Amino acid sequence: MQKTRSESGASESDSVDIALLGQRIRLVRTDLGMTLADVARETGLSTGFLSQVENGLTNVSLGALYRIAGALKITAPELLAQGAEPIVSVVRRDEGVWRSADEADPPQLARMLTSTPRRRMEIRECVVPPGFRSDPAWTHAGDEILYVLEGTVSVELEGHGVETLEAGDTMVFVANVPHRWIGGDSEARLLNIVVLLPGSSPTLSQSVPDHLA
């Protein structure tokens, strides 16, 4: 089946149960007494798009999902969770859903490797294409760890310069400092780990409200 792309930037063939995800988003929103307009104002996403998400009519990119989760005071993995948290969680190499993490052209792709939402850590495998630049910068709660598996990627921390990382390199930084990823001459693959502080929510945000609208 040919893949198509929705307003969300995610492939419509992704295996996430979008109907269940939409139901969870609506349930949390209504429990908080929020309207679609409230969530739209908090996220910069349109009410029409949010309505489609809640009704299971479209998929949602990872970046948009984080913005919705932040507005609802919940984590993205909690929205994606389907059932009780296991003692042990294993994600096989052919499992997990690859999603566009932003609306850049070319996009950065990410696969969520953690399936245990109440643990204060998120792990993603990311593919950064040549010429990629996450602009505007990302900011979110917690500490961030990058480990480069293949290729080269540069990380710009606002006020702290640029670090260029190669395969085998690791970088740790405070994630509420605005930061950007910059792709090299070839595709890079890395592990992105966010360690959350007690009481914090991994609200991935960007400085331009309409970035993912």
Side-chain angles (χ1 to χ4, degrees):
M1 186 176 94
Q2 183 179 1
K3 293 184 178 181
T4 59
R5 300 185 70 82
S6 66
E7 177 188 351
S8 65
S11 166
E12 290 179 358
S13 62
D14 287 349
S15 60
V16 165
D17 187 334
I18 60 174
L20 181 58
L21 175 60
Q23 291 169 11
R24 291 179 67 87
I25 290 172
R26 179 185 290 113
L27 178 63
V28 175
R29 176 179 63 78
T30 55
D31 281 349
L32 291 173
M34 298 179 70
T35 65
L36 282 175
D38 292 332
V39 179
R41 184 168 54 254
E42 291 285 335
T43 60
L45 301 168
S46 69
T47 55
F49 173 66
L50 291 168
S51 177
Q52 286 187 317
V53 170
E54 288 194 356
N55 286 291
L57 299 178
T58 188
N59 218 320
V60 58
S61 70
L62 189 60
L65 183 62
Y66 268 90
R67 296 175 73 170
I68 293 169
L72 300 178
K73 311 303 182 188
I74 193 172
T75 68
E78 283 174 314
L79 286 177
L80 291 169
Q82 301 181 31
E85 181 173 340
I87 299 299
V88 177
S89 174
V90 176
V91 178
R92 303 294 181 186
R93 61 182 299 171
D94 58 346
E95 296 176 340
V97 177
W98 285 98
R99 292 179 174 275
S100 170
D102 44 54
E103 294 299 297
D105 185 16
Q108 181 241 137
L109 300 177
R111 178 172 71 114
M112 186 73 76
L113 301 181
T114 44
S115 60
T116 52
R118 287 184 294 280
R119 292 181 182 156
R120 307 307 295 171
M121 180 172 62
E122 293 183 0
I123 306 174
R124 286 174 289 273
E125 179 182 2
C126 301
V127 174
V128 181
F132 172 80
R133 179 181 173 85
S134 52
D135 197 10
W138 293 322
T139 61
H140 53 90
D143 293 332
E144 185 159 343
I145 304 166
L146 300 179
Y147 177 76
V148 180
L149 300 167
E150 298 175 1
T152 301
V153 65
S154 295
V155 181
E156 177 185 327
L157 266 70
E158 199 166 287
H160 298 274
V162 178
E163 293 286 346
T164 298
L165 307 176
E166 299 180 341
D169 289 348
T170 302
M171 181 175 181
V172 183
F173 56 92
V174 177
N176 64 4
V177 176
H179 53 280
R180 295 177 175 86
W181 295 1
I182 304 169
D185 295 331
S186 60
E187 183 177 272
R189 190 166 62 92
L190 52 90
L191 286 180
N192 173 220
I193 303 169
V194 177
V195 181
L196 303 172
L197 304 175
S200 66
S201 174
T203 306
L204 183 65
S205 62
Q206 284 150 321
S207 57
V208 176
D210 293 330
H211 178 58
L212 290 173

